[in-house]
Amino acid sequence: MTAVKEPETSKPENNQHKAAVPEKKKISMSTWVLLSFAGGIIAGLFFGEMLAWMSVIGDAFIKLLQMTIIPYIIVSLISSLGSLTLEQAKSMGVKVGKLMLVIWFLGLISMYLIKYTFPDWQAGEFFSLTALQDPNSVNLLDLYIPSNPFFSLSNSYIPAIVLFCVATGIALISIKDKESLMRPLQLLGESFNKVTQSIVMLMPIGIFAMTAATAGTMDFDEFQKLQVYFVAHVVMTIILTYWVLPAIIMVITPFSYRDITGIAKDAMITAFAAGNIFIILPLLIQRTKELFHKYNVGNDQTDDYANIIIPVVFSFPNLGKLLTIVFVLFAAWFSGKDLDFISYFPMSVNGLISLFGSVYLTIPMLLDSLELSSDLFQLYMVSSLFTSRFTSLLAAMNIFILAIGGTAMLAGIAKVSMKKLIICSALTPIIFGLILLGTSWVLSSIVNTEYNMDKVVAQMSSAADLPDEVTTFNPSETQDVNGPRTIEQIKKSGTLRVGYNPVQVPFSYYNAEHDLVGFDIEMMKKLAAELDIKVAFIPYSSDNVLDGINSGLFDITISGLQMTTFRIGLVDFTNPVLDLHYAFVVKDYRADEFKTDELIKEAKKITVASVGDYSIIPHLKEKFSNVEFVSIDSDKLYFEDDGKTYDALLISLEAGKTWTILYPDYTTMYNREEIKSFPASYVVAKGNQSLHTFLNSWLSIQHSSGYVDTLYSYWILGENAQPKEPRWSVIKDVLHWVE
C-alpha cells in the first residue's frame, strides 16, 4: 500500500514544481500591430517606391475586414432594437442625442483655437479650373433614405442602411411573437463576430503592407509643405482624444480616466494603424461591455445598449470627420486669408451638416464658401495618407465615448460629479494653453514661411523640349517691312516675325534668367520649329499693336489678345487659342469691398485700370455707375502703382492669378455665379487669308494633339512648375544599390 501511495504523494510535488515555472508571456495583438506599423515605416524609407505594390495587399486586407461589417450592423441593430421597449428606444434617442450635441459643440470650439498656432504666412496659387465650377451639393435624401434598401446595401450607404435597420427594429418592438426571429439574428451576429476576429489575426500583415506602401511613396516635399497642417491635426487629435472626450465621461460616470482611455487601447491602435474605424466597430462594442462589467454595473441591458448605440452613432458625423475643419483653417491660412470666429462658426456648422455625407464633398464646399481655391483639395488628398490614422483614432474614441456615456445615461448610472467638474474645468485652460503655446513655438521654429511662389513664376522656363536650332532672333536683324507676308513668303525668308507684350504674364514675359518665356512664346517656338525657320520676337505696346500687324511689322501678334467686335473690324483673329475669364485684381485689404455687386455699388467712386478695351466694359459701366475705367499700357503698371491711382485691375482670371503670385499683397475677385469668358486668339493682318487659314489649321492640330493642353497645364495651372524629384530612399540614395 505504501509503495502504491508514494507515486500519489509525489504528483503534487511535481505539479508544484511545474507551477513554479513562469509561463512565457505572449505578445498582444496591439503590440504586434505597433511593431508592424513601425516595420512598415522603416521598410518604406529603405526601399522607397519599390514597395508601392504592397498597397494591393493592404487594400485586400481592408476589404476582408469590411466583409462582415454591414451584415453585422444589420443583424445587431435589428435584434438589439427589437428587444427594447418603446420607452427605452425614446430615451436612447434623447439622451445620446444630447451627449452628441455637447461633443460637437466642444469639438468645434476646440478646433478653432488651433489657428492661433499657425505662423505668419504669405500665400500664392495658380489658377485652377475648379474656381469656375459650382461646389458639389450633398444629396442627403439619397444618402439617408433607403428607397431601395438593396441599392443602399450594394453601394454601402451606411446612413440609409442604419435607417432601414432602425425602422425595422422599432417595428419589432410592438410585435409579440418575435423570439423566433431574434434568436437566429443573434446567432448570425455571433458568427459574423467570429469571422471578424479570425481576420483580425492577419492584422500585422495588412498593417505592414499599408504602412510600407505609404511611407515608400509619400513625397518629402509634400510632407514639408503640409507640416503645419500635420502638426495642427495631430495636436488637435491628442487634445480631443485624450482630454476633452474622456473628461466629459469622467464628469458624468464613475469610470476613471485610466480605464476610459486604456480599456479600448487595442481598438484605438487598430483604428490608428489601419486608418479605418469601420473595421473596429465590433471591438468597440465588446470593450464598452467590458468597461461596465469591470465596475460591476454591466448586465444584459447595458450590453444591448452598446450593441445599438455604436452602429447608430457610426453614421453620424464624429469628431474625426470634423477634423476636416482643421484642414479648412489651414487652407485659409495657407491662402493668406484670416478667418475670424464670426465667419468660422456658421462655416463649421455647415460643414457639420454636410459631413452626414462625405468629406470629399464637404471640403470643396467649405473651400468655396470661404472663396478659397478648390484646388487646395488636392493638398487634403495628399495629406490624408498621413492624417487618416489620427482621424480614425479620434473617431474611434468619439464613438466609444458616446457608447459609454449613452449606455450610462440609459442605465441610470450617469450623474454629474461636481468635484470632477471643477477639476476638469480648472485643468482644461491650462492643458490647452500649454499645448497650444508649445505648438506655436514649434511651428514658428521649424516652418520656413519665406514666400517663394514669386520665384517659381520667375524661374519657369519651358513646358516642353524644343530643338536647339530654334533660337530667339534679334529684332535688329529683321528685314525691311514691305507689308503683310503670306505663309509662303515667311517660309522663304526663313524668319517668322512675332509681336509680343513683354510683360503679359503668363503669356509672354521675361523670367529671372532674362529669357523670354510664356504660353504664347512656346506656341510660336513650336510653330517656327515645325516650319524649320527662326522666330524674331518684337515687342509692342498697346498703342502700336494694330498698326504694327497691318503694316507688316509683325506677321503674328500674340500675348493673350482678346477678340472684340471693334478689333475684328481692323485685323483678323485666328480661331480661339484659349477661353479666358474676367476678374478684378485688388489689394488684399480691400477684398471685402469687391465681394458683391451691392458692395461695389455702395462705394463712392471706383477707378478700374485695364489694358485695352475689354468687351465687358460697356456692361460693367451700365451695371456700376460709380465705376470709371482707365486704359493703361500694361498690367504691370497697376501693380507698380501700389493702389495710389487705381482701385482695381480688370484682367483675365488666369493672368490675374499669376500676377498675384508675383505680387502676393493682391488678390483676384470674381463672381462665380456671373463669371463671363472671352476668347484669346492670335492676330494677323486684315485680309492676309493665306496666313490666317494656315494658322487656323495649325491650331486645330495643336489642340487635337494635346500640345495646347500641355502648355495650359504648365503655364496657366502651374502643374510641374516645381518639377518633382525622384522619391528619396535609403537603398537608392544612401547605399546606391539601385538607380
Side-chain angles (χ1 to χ4, degrees):
M1 294 292 295
T2 306
V4 175
K5 290 181 179 179
E6 285 179 354
E8 292 178 359
T9 56
S10 64
K11 282 184 180 180
E13 294 176 0
N14 292 337
N15 289 340
Q16 290 175 3
H17 177 71
K18 290 180 180 179
V21 178
E23 293 183 4
K24 189 175 182 180
K25 189 176 181 180
K26 293 182 179 180
I27 300 178
S28 66
M29 178 56 66
S30 59
T31 302
W32 276 117
V33 169
L34 285 175
L35 290 174
S36 300
F37 185 77
I41 293 176
I42 295 171
L45 293 175
F46 187 86
F47 292 100
E49 294 175 346
M50 296 173 65
L51 296 185
W53 62 272
M54 296 193 77
S55 62
V56 176
I57 298 176
D59 292 341
F61 174 71
I62 291 297
K63 290 183 182 297
L64 280 174
L65 284 172
Q66 292 173 336
M67 180 171 62
T68 59
I69 299 300
I70 291 179
Y72 180 83
I73 288 176
I74 293 173
V75 298
S76 176
L77 269 179
I78 293 177
S79 61
S80 298
L81 276 174
S83 62
L84 294 177
T85 65
L86 187 59
E87 288 301 320
Q88 287 174 326
K90 289 181 179 178
S91 179
M92 184 182 69
V94 172
K95 292 179 178 178
V96 176
K98 288 180 179 179
L99 180 59
M100 191 177 294
L101 289 174
V102 170
I103 289 174
W104 284 344
F105 178 76
L106 294 177
L108 290 177
I109 296 297
S110 301
M111 289 176 195
Y112 181 73
L113 298 176
I114 200 67
K115 73 182 286 286
Y116 294 107
T117 67
F118 298 162
D120 292 335
W121 175 263
Q122 280 282 4
E125 60 180 356
F126 284 93
F127 169 75
S128 169
L129 290 172
T130 55
L132 309 176
Q133 300 170 359
D134 291 329
N136 294 317
S137 59
V138 179
N139 192 330
L140 296 180
L141 292 178
D142 290 343
L143 188 66
Y144 271 85
I145 300 180
S147 58
N148 182 347
F150 298 101
F151 176 80
S152 301
L153 285 168
S154 63
N155 288 276
S156 298
Y157 289 166
I158 302 300
I161 295 170
V162 168
L163 178 60
F164 171 77
C165 295
V166 168
T168 305
I170 291 174
L172 281 171
I173 292 175
S174 59
I175 296 177
K176 294 181 179 180
D177 299 326
K178 55 187 176 184
E179 288 74 15
S180 58
L181 176 62
M182 293 293 102
R183 184 54 182 165
L185 288 177
Q186 291 169 357
L187 289 175
L188 274 174
E190 292 177 10
S191 66
F192 292 147
N193 212 350
K194 284 191 173 183
V195 172
T196 301
Q197 293 295 334
S198 299
I199 297 172
V200 165
M201 300 302 295
L202 301 174
M203 181 72 70
I205 298 174
I207 296 304
F208 176 83
M210 287 186 289
T211 308
T214 301
T217 55
M218 175 174 276
D219 196 302
F220 287 155
D221 289 338
E222 293 171 343
F223 183 83
Q224 165 69 18
K225 190 175 184 181
L226 292 170
Q227 60 186 331
V228 171
Y229 172 54
F230 290 156
V231 171
H233 191 103
V234 171
V235 167
M236 193 48 57
T237 298
I238 293 172
I239 291 176
L240 293 173
T241 302
Y242 293 106
W243 178 249
V244 175
L245 289 175
I248 294 172
I249 296 304
M250 283 170 55
V251 170
I252 65 173
T253 68
F255 307 135
S256 69
Y257 175 87
R258 182 176 181 179
D259 286 332
I260 294 170
T261 57
I263 198 165
K265 182 174 63 175
D266 56 346
M268 301 301 162
I269 292 174
T270 302
F272 174 82
N276 191 311
I277 60 170
F278 200 37
I279 61 179
I280 52 99
L281 294 183
L283 282 175
L284 291 178
I285 293 172
Q286 187 62 33
R287 297 301 176 264
T288 303
K289 296 176 183 178
E290 288 179 9
L291 180 61
F292 279 82
H293 285 282
K294 181 177 181 179
Y295 281 75
N296 297 319
V297 292
N299 51 44
D300 291 342
Q301 188 181 50
T302 59
D303 290 350
D304 284 339
Y305 288 145
N307 287 333
I308 298 168
I309 292 173
I310 286 181
V312 170
V313 300
F314 172 77
S315 62
F316 284 78
N318 55 64
L319 292 188
K321 275 190 172 184
L322 272 178
L323 278 179
T324 56
I325 301 296
V326 174
F327 177 80
V328 177
L329 288 169
F330 161 77
W333 166 81
F334 188 77
S335 301
K337 184 181 180 71
D338 183 32
L339 187 61
D340 56 30
F341 189 77
I342 296 176
S343 302
Y344 165 80
F345 196 73
M347 179 275 294
S348 62
V349 172
N350 289 336
L352 172 62
I353 295 172
S354 65
L355 281 170
F356 278 95
S358 169
V359 295
Y360 302 115
L361 296 177
T362 300
I363 293 177
M365 183 200 73
L366 296 181
L367 292 175
D368 285 341
S369 70
L370 296 175
E371 297 187 355
L372 302 174
S373 173
S374 296
D375 196 40
L376 290 167
F377 181 57
Q378 297 175 10
L379 293 181
Y380 177 81
M381 296 301 294
V382 172
S383 67
S384 64
L385 294 171
F386 173 80
T387 59
S388 62
R389 274 78 166 121
F390 295 92
T391 298
S392 298
L393 174 65
L394 177 55
M397 179 59 83
N398 191 169
I399 294 173
F400 184 55
I401 291 300
L402 281 170
I404 298 172
T407 301
M409 288 188 289
L410 291 168
I413 63 172
K415 183 181 179 181
V416 176
S417 169
M418 293 306 299
K419 179 181 178 181
K420 290 182 178 179
L421 179 61
I422 293 172
I423 293 173
C424 291
S425 299
L427 288 177
T428 296
I430 298 174
I431 292 173
F432 267 81
L434 291 176
I435 293 177
L436 294 181
L437 284 173
T439 303
S440 178
W441 178 80
V442 169
L443 288 177
S444 299
S445 302
I446 67 173
V447 177
N448 180 13
T449 57
E450 180 184 358
Y451 184 76
N452 61 3
M453 283 299 294
D454 54 343
K455 298 175 184 175
V456 173
V457 175
Q459 292 172 358
M460 292 174 72
S461 56
S462 176
D465 294 330
L466 291 170
D468 294 335
E469 58 268 19
V470 179
T471 59
T472 302
F473 194 82
N474 191 326
S476 64
E477 299 178 20
T478 55
Q479 300 175 1
D480 294 337
V481 176
N482 296 315
R485 301 187 298 173
T486 64
I487 184 62
E488 289 78 12
Q489 291 173 324
I490 293 171
K491 292 168 66 175
K492 185 177 180 180
S493 71
T495 302
L496 174 68
R497 295 199 289 258
V498 177
Y500 74 101
N501 185 334
V503 288
Q504 190 67 6
V505 177
F507 302 101
S508 54
Y509 68 99
Y510 285 91
N511 65 10
E513 306 299 326
H514 302 290
D515 295 325
L516 182 59
V517 297
F519 177 93
D520 287 338
I521 299 301
E522 284 214 56
M523 286 289 288
M524 291 299 100
K525 287 184 176 181
K526 172 79 167 177
L527 174 60
E530 294 184 354
L531 292 175
D532 196 22
I533 59 177
K534 295 181 179 180
V535 55
F537 290 104
I538 307 172
Y540 67 74
S541 65
S542 58
D543 296 332
N544 69 352
V545 57
L546 296 182
D547 292 337
I549 190 66
N550 281 326
S551 67
L553 178 61
F554 321 125
D555 298 314
I556 305 171
T557 306
I558 61 170
S559 300
L561 284 171
Q562 178 186 185
M563 185 190 303
T564 66
T565 304
F566 172 75
R567 287 175 176 175
I568 60 177
L570 301 176
V571 291
D572 285 340
F573 284 83
T574 65
N575 294 333
V577 181
L578 297 173
D579 281 330
L580 305 179
H581 305 83
Y582 292 109
F584 286 132
V585 172
V586 301
K587 280 276 193 177
D588 282 339
Y589 73 90
R590 300 195 61 183
D592 290 340
E593 301 175 33
F594 291 82
K595 273 189 174 180
T596 64
D597 291 349
E598 289 70 22
L599 290 173
I600 296 176
K601 291 176 181 177
E602 289 175 3
K604 293 182 179 179
K605 182 181 178 182
I606 296 176
T607 303
V608 177
S610 68
V611 179
D613 295 326
Y614 286 92
S615 58
I616 199 175
I617 288 180
H619 169 74
L620 294 176
K621 285 182 176 179
E622 182 178 348
K623 189 175 184 179
F624 306 111
S625 58
N626 59 330
V627 176
E628 178 186 1
F629 290 89
V630 178
S631 180
I632 58 178
D633 290 334
S634 71
D635 297 321
K636 189 175 183 180
L637 293 177
Y638 167 77
F639 295 96
E640 291 177 342
D641 178 71
D642 198 30
K644 298 174 183 176
T645 308
Y646 313 109
D647 300 301
L649 172 69
L650 180 62
I651 193 174
S652 72
L653 178 59
E654 292 79 356
K657 281 288 187 180
T658 311
W659 276 112
T660 55
I661 293 175
L662 292 171
Y663 295 88
D665 292 336
Y666 292 80
T667 187
T668 54
M669 305 294 298
Y670 59 97
N671 187 334
R672 182 179 288 105
E673 296 178 357
E674 299 182 8
I675 196 165
K676 293 178 173 60
S677 63
F678 62 90
S681 307
Y682 299 145
V683 179
V684 299
K686 190 69 175 177
N688 191 347
Q689 191 65 35
S690 169
L691 182 56
H692 187 246
T693 302
F694 175 84
L695 285 178
N696 281 337
S697 299
W698 182 78
L699 285 173
S700 297
I701 295 172
Q702 305 313 309
H703 278 288
S704 299
S705 67
Y707 186 74
V708 172
D709 292 336
T710 299
L711 298 187
Y712 184 86
S713 297
Y714 181 78
W715 291 107
I716 309 299
L717 302 181
E719 295 179 5
N720 207 33
Q722 292 177 291
K724 288 187 176 181
E725 298 180 357
R727 172 68 163 77
W728 181 91
S729 65
V730 174
I731 194 173
K732 176 174 65 70
D733 297 282
V734 178
L735 301 178
H736 305 291
W737 290 353
V738 296
E739 295 184 1

